[in-house]
Amino acid sequence: MNISGRAAVSGMAELKPEIDAGGRSSLELLSEVASRAIKDAGLRKSDLDGLLVTPPAEDSCFMWPAQVAEYLKMSPSYINMVELGGASACAAITRAALAVTAGLCRHCLCLSGGIWDSQVFNSQEGKMAVMSRAEIDFELPYGPMGFNSGYALIAQRHMYEFGTTVEQMAKIAVDQRQNALANPDALFNKQAISIEDVLNSPLIVDPIHLLEIVRPCSGAAAVIISRSEEAIDMPNVPVYLLGMGEACTHNSIIYSDSITVSPVKWSAARAFAMAGLKPVDMDLLSLYDCYPITVIVTLEDAGFCDKGAGGFFVQSHDLTYRGDLPLNTHGGQLSFGQPSYAGGMSHVTEAVRQLRGEAEKRQIKNNRLAFVNGNGGVMSTQSSLILGRDKHDVR
Amino acid sequence: MTLDNGEKWFKKGRTALKIQYCPACEKYIFFPREMCPYCLEVKPEWKETTGRGIIYSYTTVRRSSLSEFQDRVPYTYAMVELHEGIRIPTNIINCPVDRVRIGMPVELAWIEESKETIPVFRPAP
Ligand SMILES: [Zn+2]
C-alpha cells in the first residue's frame, strides 16, 4: 500500500528560539506551542487523539509521552516517543502519517522541543548522556569533541576525497544567514556574515569554524497531522505528505562503511520512490544543518548533485530565498538556532510555511514541492520527507 | 567496559593490539561484542593485528572541553584504518598537528598512564 498523499499537515506552530527561557520548563513551552498549533488547525483540544513527542532536553525522559499527555490533559488513542536524535521530528511526522492513515487516530499532535541548559550541556554528565557505551569506552579516552569532531572527520575526509574547500562549506553558513535576516524569529537575524567572517572565526576542530557550528537553545514546535480528506475541510492549505523514507547504518561515525556517504542515500531514494518524484522536481530544500558539511553530504546523497560535487554545487547556486535553489530559508539551525529536538522540526515548519505561502518576506515564488531531511547523530539515522501542495496521485 | 578474555582495551601492560575476528564471516569486528554482529551465530575470537595502518581521517582539537585534555591541545583525534581493514578511533602522537595527513602510514604506539595502557599511533618510518 502506498500512503503517498493520504495524510497532511493541518496545523503547526513554532516558538521563537531563546538562549534564556526565563526559568520556564519544557512542559510549559510544549503546552504553549501545542495551544497555538491547535488554534492554527482550527481544532479544539478534544479533537486531538494522537500524541507523538520527542525527548525533552532537561527533564526526565521516563514515561515522557504520558507526562506530556497528563500535563495537557489529553487521553490519546495513539501515543509514543520518537528518539532518533535530529531525525526525530521528521520521523514523528512519518509515524503520525502512518497512524492517521491506519485509523489509529484522526489528528495526531507531534510535539518537539524543550529547555536548553548550558550547565547540563557543558558538564561531563551532559556529554556522556548523548554517548553510547561504545563511544564512552572506546572513543572518549581519545578526547573527541562530541558531534563537532565527528563532523570534522567527515569534512576532512570529504575535502581529501573530493577537493571540497573551506570556502564552499562556509558559503552555506553565509547564505543561510541571509535567509535568517528575513526571519524575525531567527536567533541570529541582525547581521550578515561573509565567507571571510566564517573563516576568520575561531577554528574549533579542523576544518570546522565557530560560525559553522549550530547554536543550541530553548524552544518548541508543534505539527498536527490529519488524514487528507479531513485536512481539505480545515482552515489551512493542506500540505500533503507525498513521500517518506528512513535509513540507519551506524550510530557512531567510526563505524560507517564510508564516512562521506550518508544513509540519506537510501532514505531519500525511498521517499522519492513513494512520491513518484525526483530531486529536480523540488522547489525548496529544508535540510538538517548542524554543520555545513551535513548539508553538502545530504545534497549529494539525496541526489541533488553528483557524489563529491556538493561543494561546487553550493558554490554555484544561490541558496537564499531569492536564489535559484532556496535552501533552509528560515536560516537553518545555523542561524535560526537549534532548540533541542525542535531544531529538526524547524525544517518541517519552514517547508509548511513556504508551501502554504505564509513565509512573508522570505516567501519563495515556486512553492509546490519541498524536500525535508532530518539527520540524527553523526550522519546516522536519516528521515526524509517530500511535502507537496497538490495531492499528486501516484497510484 | 565488560570485556572478558583478559582483552580489556586499555589493560595496563598490554603489548599487542588484538581485535575480534569471526572465522565464519572472515571479518574483523570493532568495537568488541559478545556475538559476531555479521552472522549473529559465532562468538568472535581475538586476533593479533600488525599494528600498522593509515590515517583514514582526523581532526585537530584546538579547544577541548574535557578536563583531562585541556592541557594537551592541540592534539589529533583520528580514525586509523588497520592493514586488516578495520577502522578504530585513536590519537596520533609524535607528529606535529599540522603535519598529519589522510593516507599517512602509521604504526602502533603505547601511552602508559597510571592505571591504563592506551593504544595510539605514530608516523611509520
Ligand atoms: Zn560471523
Side-chain angles (χ1 to χ4, degrees):
Chain A
M1 179 173 85
N2 189 340
I3 65 162
S4 178
R6 304 275 292 272
V9 175
S10 57
M12 64 111 174
E14 190 168 46
L15 304 187
K16 182 174 165 60
E18 296 169 302
I19 297 291
D20 181 1
R24 294 208 293 166
S25 71
S26 293
L27 284 169
E28 287 168 347
L29 297 188
L30 293 179
S31 61
E32 183 189 341
V33 81
S35 164
R36 291 198 204 169
I38 293 166
K39 199 169 174 199
D40 178 67
L43 293 171
R44 284 161 310 164
K45 204 212 80 183
S46 54
D47 294 322
L48 297 177
D49 53 1
L51 176 65
L52 285 173
V53 296
T54 59
E58 116 272 34
D59 307 74
S60 157
C61 257
F62 183 66
M63 294 293 286
W64 184 243
Q67 290 188 46
V68 176
E70 177 182 74
Y71 193 86
L72 301 178
K73 277 256 174 233
M74 278 179 76
S75 42
S77 56
Y78 175 72
I79 178 166
N80 214 337
M81 179 165 85
V82 184
E83 166 23 10
L84 297 167
S88 304
C90 284
I93 303 293
T94 293
R95 280 148 188 74
L98 286 169
V100 298
T101 306
L104 297 176
C105 58
R106 279 178 69 195
H107 302 289
C108 187
L109 174 65
C110 303
L111 261 184
S112 193
I115 301 295
W116 181 72
D117 184 328
S118 62
Q119 276 187 328
V120 173
F121 183 80
N122 289 317
S123 69
Q124 187 77 2
E125 295 74 48
K127 288 191 178 71
M128 283 170 68
V130 293
M131 297 181 91
S132 68
R133 193 69 237 168
E135 288 173 291
I136 291 167
D137 287 344
F138 300 102
E139 298 177 37
L140 194 55
Y142 296 109
M145 285 296 100
F147 298 105
N148 287 356
S149 52
Y151 283 94
L153 292 170
I154 298 174
Q156 199 80 274
R157 180 85 194 172
H158 204 277
M159 294 169 76
Y160 169 82
E161 285 184 21
F162 306 115
T164 306
T165 67
V166 289
E167 288 82 7
Q168 289 167 344
M169 291 189 274
K171 179 171 184 286
I172 292 169
V174 171
D175 282 7
Q176 291 191 181
R177 177 60 62 86
Q178 277 299 319
N179 288 334
L181 296 180
N183 183 359
D185 283 346
L187 206 53
F188 302 103
N189 60 7
K190 301 279 183 288
Q191 207 173 359
I193 53 173
S194 66
I195 287 175
E196 291 68 37
D197 291 336
V198 175
L199 299 183
N200 288 332
S201 69
L203 200 48
I204 306 297
V205 281
D206 296 26
I208 298 178
H209 302 80
L210 185 63
L211 287 177
E212 297 173 301
I213 298 177
V214 76
R215 179 68 163 90
C217 56
S218 300
V223 171
I224 297 171
I225 303 294
S226 308
R227 274 192 299 130
S228 295
E229 47 268 55
E230 303 220 44
I232 262 175
D233 296 326
M234 291 164 72
N236 291 306
V237 176
V239 172
Y240 298 102
L241 292 158
L242 302 179
M244 293 161 257
E246 290 178 2
C248 174
T249 54
H250 60 274
N251 179 34
S252 164
I253 192 65
I254 303 289
Y255 310 114
S256 171
D257 284 347
S258 165
I259 67 171
T260 53
V261 175
S262 157
V264 78
K265 189 171 169 179
W266 299 284
S267 64
R270 286 165 188 152
F272 282 120
M274 183 192 283
L277 292 165
K278 294 196 269 317
V280 72
D281 300 322
M282 299 298 113
D283 300 311
L284 170 75
L285 309 187
S286 222
L287 310 182
Y288 197 91
D289 61 316
C290 34
Y291 306 85
I293 189 63
T294 316
V295 174
I296 288 179
V297 172
T298 302
L299 283 168
E300 294 171 351
D301 291 336
F304 291 95
C305 61
D306 289 341
K307 187 67 209 171
F312 180 73
F313 186 74
V314 299
Q315 186 189 331
S316 46
H317 288 281
D318 181 348
L319 310 180
T320 69
Y321 60 93
R322 290 179 291 252
D324 57 335
L325 187 80
L327 188 152
N328 291 343
T329 49
H330 61 312
Q333 294 183 101
L334 289 173
S335 278
F336 176 75
Q338 182 180 51
S340 177
Y341 285 76
M345 196 65 97
S346 75
H347 299 92
V348 177
T349 53
E350 178 67 4
V352 171
R353 234 176 255 126
Q354 289 283 7
L355 266 50
R356 282 183 182 176
E358 296 174 353
E360 298 180 346
K361 265 172 79 182
R362 60 185 191 281
Q363 180 62 48
I364 59 171
K365 285 201 186 71
N366 300 319
N367 64 337
R368 307 215 76 84
L369 290 163
F371 176 77
V372 184
N373 194 66
N375 158 54
V378 183
M379 302 308 281
S380 170
T381 308
Q382 304 291 319
S383 181
S384 305
L385 303 174
I386 292 159
L387 306 184
R389 250 176 51 190
D390 305 303
K391 217 155 145 189
H392 186 85
D393 200 337
V394 294
R395 269 145 297 154
Chain B
M1 188 166 47
T2 56
L3 291 182
D4 54 6
N5 308 334
E7 297 298 344
K8 286 191 171 33
W9 200 246
F10 302 110
K11 193 170 98 179
K12 185 77 185 152
R14 290 184 67 179
T15 53
L17 188 70
K18 292 184 182 176
I19 302 250
Q20 279 186 330
Y21 181 76
C22 175
C25 297
E26 301 185 327
K27 275 180 186 282
Y28 282 89
I29 299 154
F30 188 83
F31 53 94
R33 290 164 171 87
E34 177 69 16
M35 301 292 291
C36 164
Y38 296 99
C39 60
L40 224 52
E41 286 176 13
V42 175
K43 292 206 175 199
E45 56 191 49
W46 289 89
K47 237 177 149 169
E48 188 165 337
T49 65
T50 56
R52 290 179 163 270
I54 56 157
I55 296 176
Y56 175 78
S57 194
Y58 70 96
T59 181
T60 308
V61 180
R62 310 259 169 195
R63 296 174 174 191
S64 184
S65 53
L66 299 165
S67 50
E68 323 88 275
F69 284 86
Q70 269 159 12
D71 54 358
R72 288 208 222 162
V73 291
Y75 60 91
T76 304
Y77 178 68
M79 289 171 73
V80 160
E81 185 169 294
L82 296 171
H83 275 338
E84 287 77 8
I86 191 93
R87 292 183 207 131
I88 57 174
T90 193
N91 295 129
I92 306 299
I93 62 160
N94 293 2
C95 184
V97 292
D98 297 328
R99 295 267 179 82
V100 177
R101 293 286 178 271
I102 291 175
M104 184 185 257
V106 288
E107 64 179 19
L108 187 61
W110 300 96
I111 293 182
E112 292 297 334
E113 307 243 314
S114 57
K115 290 191 188 132
E116 294 179 322
T117 298
I118 303 192
V120 295
F121 288 79
R122 65 185 172 210

